[in-house]
């Protein structure tokens, strides 16, 4: 999994579950938060963050917040990343126990549940 256009910023505040304000080159931007969890131990005003710039006119924000620096360690908070990484790893044959499967589907619904 690769993010295409990474931009650095400084976290200012979280407005709600989906939107935060981040300073990018001194300009405050509203950005999409890709994790609806609280993340209060990570999203602290002044902390360095990484954003994915997405150039789509239909989006409400130009950036998605994907990573936060904590104790000199970059922490990915994109809640969709683990599913994507594992899916790609299985497809590439990096997880041997799954190499015999010919069909691979993501987020399959079964009765009233969904399997990631």
């Amino acid at each position: 999994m690769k993010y295409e256009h990474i931009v650095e910023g400084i976290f200012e505040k979280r407005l709600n579950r989906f939107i935060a304000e981040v300073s990018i080159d001194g300009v405050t931007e509203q950005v999409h938060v890709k994790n609806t969890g609280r993340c209060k131990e990570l999203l602290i005003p002044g902390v360095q963050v990484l954003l994915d710039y997405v150039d789509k006119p239909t989006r409400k924000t130009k950036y998605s917040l994907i990573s936060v620096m904590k104790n000199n360690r970059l922490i990915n908070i994109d809640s969709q990343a683990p599913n994507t990484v594992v899916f790609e790893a299985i497809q590439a044959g990096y997880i041997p126990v799954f190499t015999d499967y010919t069909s691979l589907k993501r987020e399959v619904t079964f009765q009233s549940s969904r399997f990631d």
Side-chain angles (χ1 to χ4, degrees), residues 10-17 19-22 31-51 65-70 75 77:
I10 302 297
F11 180 79
E12 292 180 358
K13 64 182 173 181
R14 192 161 184 179
L15 301 177
N16 59 45
R17 288 180 11 178
I19 302 292
E21 288 185 345
V22 173
V31 304
H32 173 67
V33 180
K34 294 191 92 170
N35 187 320
T36 58
R38 291 179 48 213
C39 301
K40 285 192 176 239
E41 68 283 0
L42 298 172
L43 296 176
I44 300 166
V47 72
Q48 181 184 0
V49 296
L50 292 184
L51 309 151
L65 197 159
I66 54 172
S67 298
V68 179
M69 189 65 78
K70 182 170 176 94
I75 300 172
I77 65 165

Side-chain angles (χ1 to χ4, degrees), residues 20 24 27 46 56-57 59-60 62-63 75-77 95 113:
I24 303 167
V27 177
K56 284 188 182 176
R59 279 181 54 118
K60 292 181 181 179
K62 295 186 280 188
Y63 302 92
I75 300 172
N76 187 307
I77 65 165
I95 305 177
S113 298

Side-chain angles (χ1 to χ4, degrees), residues 3 6 24 44 80 91 96 101:
Y3 296 103
I6 301 299
I24 303 167
I44 300 166
Q80 298 168 345
Q91 281 186 314
Y101 289 87

